Amino acid sequence: MDDDAAVAALQALVRIPTVSVRDPEKVDVAAFDELLVELKRRFPLLHERLELTRVDTHGLLFHWAGATAAHPVVLMAHLDVVPVEGTWQHPPFGGDIVDGDIWGRGTLDDKGSLIGICAAVETLLADGFVPAQDVWLSFGCNEEVSGTSAVLAVDELRRRGVEPWFVLDEGGAIASEAFPGVAAPIGVIGVTEKGVTSVELRVEGRGGHASTPARLGPTARIARAITRIDRSPMAASVPAPTIELFRRMGRHAPLALRPLMINAGRVKPVLTRALIAAGPEPAAMTRTTFAITTLSGAPALNVIAATATAGVNIRIMIGDTVAGVLEHVRRTVDDDQVHIDVVEQNEPSPISPMDEAFELLEQTITEVFPDAVPAPYVMMAATDSRFFCAICPRVYRFAPFRMTKAQRESIHSYDEHLGVDAFLDGVRWYRRLIEGLPA
Ligand SMILES: [Zn+2]
């Protein structure tokens, strides 16, 4: 498989609209079937030589036997994408190459990684390469809807007694424009991720005609509850990986900022306040966040709501817990007529160590992207890799692709595209990573 074939494979897979939707009835099963057929067609050696276990409806778990099974590694990606939003400059399922970029939903999230891993493995197989360690490829089919694919892959690995040395999934990137004034791209490797938890607040009342309202009915109580939550942030702090991120970026920062960043660990309160003041994104790096997302009241304008609800999406910071956060919500709402139903709950992931496995990722970044500064960070979004924390202490989140700020913002939005050269660098990165696995 040469570079052109790898690029063509990515284009072909982007053209297959494997869109995840929460209602299983509405999933385009044919698209997922087609994707698996196309993947097999594009990567014949991988499918011939690696042992495949089907997981969930369309999830794939490949086992590539290495020289030893002592320190197995898991490389992850997902086959599904989110629905198309907004107006695109080029068709979202076109896979077109325009001015050196491959366009389409999934190029960055996450078919670039999927094809990057497969192309690296395919070329290594063609060369007769045997990895020093067992390599597992885990490709989930419902990451975007928090589906069961990754959980089932973990079950399968556990059943086989596989305890990975490290797990690598999507997350960070070779991010340019990562911080104001820092010219060097930062190779950010997620070492943990915030926990996603959702609750629904609900107030029941008598309803009735809108001409005779009582004070503090269901809608008013819900409104009071959500404004209380909105006004009451939880305690903020800067966790260890973020301090290390600042320390490493600091050396490349403008002179005025350098001391603050390099000494981040010693000026935590100042840094925390600065991040909170800098806007919602930096503020989210310091604490658990609460987003009031859905609201419902009466079905008609002249009806008093018998039930009012509000959905709250919570991203739990390292150091906080689901129990602590729910207690905060209860205390803040301070109204026993507001029922709090937990819809989903996930603790933040443990922080993966920055030992030999992390160093291998760093070295491979430095080799393939010599201008980049490798650094750990806390992921704000959730990935399938969180489930692997149950069987592995070293879970890292990084996709080896150069991404501008605009590209990072296009993920789950519109105009998602990946540079052809950036993609091929990524293939090379996965290849070097597998070649570099220590005996
Ligand atoms: Zn993704």
Side-chain angles (χ1 to χ4, degrees), residues 78 109-110 143-144 170 412:
H78 59 87
D109 180 16
D110 185 32
E143 192 272 348
E144 298 293 1
E170 62 176 335
H412 289 213

Side-chain angles (χ1 to χ4, degrees), residues 100-285:
D101 289 305
I102 309 166
W103 284 73
R105 176 60 89 217
T107 47
L108 303 176
D109 180 16
D110 185 32
K111 289 176 178 173
S113 284
L114 170 71
I115 303 303
I117 293 168
C118 290
V121 171
E122 189 78 7
T123 56
L124 286 167
L125 286 168
D127 293 348
F129 178 82
V130 177
Q133 303 291 339
D134 273 16
V135 176
W136 294 81
L137 313 179
S138 180
F139 302 146
C141 61
N142 43 30
E143 192 272 348
E144 298 293 1
V145 289
S146 300
T148 46
S149 206
V151 179
L152 295 171
V154 169
D155 286 349
E156 177 64 18
L157 289 172
R158 201 188 264 126
R159 198 181 64 74
R160 292 173 173 233
V162 178
E163 291 174 7
W165 178 44
F166 74 83
V167 171
L168 178 70
D169 196 9
E170 62 176 335
I174 304 294
S176 54
E177 307 154 86
F179 192 82
V182 176
I186 312 297
V188 279
I189 303 168
V191 291
T192 177
E193 59 189 67
K194 282 177 133 181
V196 182
T197 292
S198 297
V199 298
E200 188 176 71
L201 310 181
R202 187 170 39 81
V203 180
E204 316 269 3
R206 288 185 43 237
H209 198 277
S211 61
T212 56
R215 276 203 61 230
L216 219 50
T219 45
R221 273 186 192 276
I222 281 292
R224 188 174 70 174
I226 62 181
T227 46
R228 282 176 176 171
I229 291 172
D230 197 48
R231 273 201 302 257
S232 314
M234 289 186 72
S237 177
V238 184
T242 310
I243 286 176
E244 183 61 17
L245 169 69
F246 275 98
R247 219 177 55 74
R248 294 187 183 202
M249 286 196 302
R251 279 177 245 135
H252 304 265
L255 272 177
L257 285 174
R258 228 174 262 184
L260 175 67
M261 292 173 73
I262 290 174
N263 297 310
R266 272 178 275 163
V267 292
K268 270 210 287 194
V270 180
L271 183 64
T272 306
R273 281 197 299 276
L275 287 171
I276 290 171
E281 269 193 312
M285 295 170 75

Side-chain angles (χ1 to χ4, degrees), residues 371-383:
D371 56 330
V373 181
Y377 85 118
V378 178
M379 263 196 82
M380 300 289 132
T383 69

